[in-house]
Amino acid sequence: MSKKRASPGDDEIKPPEISEAHSKLLTELEDEHSRLVIADQFASLYKLIPFYKKRNESLKTIDKFWLRALQNHGAFVSLYGNHTEDLEALKYLENMWVERFEPDPRAFRLEMHFKENPFFTNTVLSKTYSLKTPPSGAVINGIYESMLKFNPDLDLVISSSGISWRNDKINLCKKFPAPKSLAGEEDELMDADLGSFFNFFDTNTDESDLGPALASDFFSEPIPFFKGEIDDDESFDEDEDDDDSIDEDSDAEEIDLERPKKRAKRA
């Protein structure tokens, strides 16, 4: 019979008492490992840039590739997939790009490139996630000490390009405005009406973390989304199966993992 895990009220395991020198040694080893992992991740991101450029040129030959891929992205669909006018404007989307900044590519700019269209005059809409302060501290293998404690919520500042609408009648941000604030309502974010998707490029916030999601999993591998090979609902069912295997006697905190249903209209 397996041993029952400790309840929150039980005595917690305390770290062993060691000398100050050994404590310093362990910290240095952990930091060295973190630097190596981060350096490897950064190098991989930069190494893929030439491929992304080549891939994107090829994808331009496929009509509405990026729109069709977006319509299979769970976060986009759940947050912004319910306004037909947005999808009409997104039919003019011809390219997406993520510009990774140096020396820390976790700071980036997400770009959407548009053909000439009847909605706005911009050819590029962008949202930028910049470091609030330059990296600092000791540098080893190109990794600054401050990078080891990176926290996107604290270390990044967000700015948007804004949109030059051709006239107020077709200004989707005015027609479907964003809520004033969703602070403190993260559990209701997916169910809230966030207005037009284009509010994303007209406000300096990203409470849904859509930008990082699009910049990472979506931009790096958009083809499976286009082909419909990524099923968020299916992966969620697998998570539920894993939850069923947890000991029913466990007093661990229960977390609500319910996801909203998809609500996108096809273009």
Side-chain angles (χ1 to χ4, degrees):
M1 181 179 297
S2 60
K3 184 177 180 181
K4 183 178 178 180
R5 68 181 67 177
S7 299
D10 295 345
D11 293 337
E12 296 182 359
I13 298 177
K14 297 180 179 179
E17 294 183 4
I18 57 176
S19 67
E20 184 176 343
H22 282 155
S23 178
K24 181 180 179 182
L25 172 64
L26 296 179
T27 299
E28 290 175 347
L29 290 172
E30 287 181 319
D31 286 351
E32 181 179 0
H33 177 262
S34 295
R35 287 178 190 272
L36 290 171
V37 171
I38 293 173
D40 183 61
Q41 292 173 341
F42 287 5
S44 296
L45 286 172
Y46 293 130
K47 185 177 181 180
L48 285 167
I49 291 176
F51 165 73
Y52 291 151
K53 290 181 178 179
K54 176 184 175 182
R55 178 201 68 189
N56 280 20
E57 284 300 313
S58 298
L59 294 180
K60 287 181 180 179
T61 64
I62 302 177
D63 187 43
K64 300 183 184 66
F65 173 87
W66 291 101
L67 170 57
R68 292 172 177 174
L70 278 171
Q71 289 181 287
N72 286 324
H73 187 271
F76 170 81
V77 169
S78 298
L79 294 167
Y80 294 109
N82 59 337
H83 293 298
T84 302
E85 291 90 336
D86 282 348
L87 301 182
E88 286 297 318
L90 285 169
K91 287 181 180 180
Y92 297 92
L93 175 63
E94 64 177 352
N95 195 18
M96 283 187 65
W97 185 252
V98 174
E99 185 73 22
R100 295 286 179 179
F101 300 146
E102 295 184 358
D104 192 334
R106 291 173 295 191
F108 65 93
R109 179 171 57 251
L110 176 66
E111 300 176 354
M112 286 191 172
H113 296 242
F114 288 83
K115 297 181 287 187
E116 185 175 355
N117 63 81
F119 293 90
F120 42 79
T121 60
N122 311 66
T123 56
V124 179
L125 299 180
S126 65
K127 202 172 189 78
T128 304
Y129 300 73
S130 306
L131 291 176
K132 288 183 179 179
T133 58
S136 59
V139 186
I140 301 177
N141 294 328
I143 304 301
Y144 289 78
E145 184 177 355
S146 63
M147 293 179 178
L148 302 179
K149 300 178 181 179
F150 177 80
N151 183 328
D153 294 329
L154 301 176
D155 298 332
L156 295 179
V157 58
I158 302 173
S159 60
S160 296
S161 61
I163 305 175
S164 298
W165 297 95
R166 293 189 181 276
N167 58 64
D168 282 345
K169 185 177 180 181
I170 54 175
N171 185 334
L172 300 181
C173 292
K174 283 189 174 182
K175 189 173 183 179
F176 307 109
K180 292 183 179 180
S181 176
L182 288 173
E185 301 178 15
E186 292 183 7
D187 56 333
E188 300 177 3
L189 186 60
M190 289 294 186
D191 294 324
D193 183 357
L194 302 185
S196 169
F197 164 68
F198 290 94
N199 289 309
F200 178 77
F201 294 109
D202 206 39
T203 58
N204 296 327
T205 60
D206 185 7
E207 292 167 322
S208 64
D209 289 328
L210 178 62
L214 292 178
S216 56
D217 65 309
F218 181 74
F219 177 77
S220 61
E221 295 187 86
I223 296 175
F225 286 98
F226 175 81
K227 296 167 69 175
E229 294 175 348
I230 295 181
D231 190 338
D232 290 339
D233 293 335
E234 182 177 303
S235 62
F236 176 52
D237 291 339
E238 292 176 358
D239 292 340
E240 286 183 326
D241 292 339
D242 291 339
D243 291 341
D244 292 340
S245 65
I246 297 177
D247 185 356
E248 293 181 358
D249 293 333
S250 171
D251 293 324
E253 181 181 358
E254 183 177 345
I255 302 175
D256 184 6
L257 297 177
E258 184 176 357
R259 296 183 182 180
K261 295 181 179 179
K262 297 181 180 180
R263 52 178 181 175
K265 300 180 179 67
R266 291 290 167 182

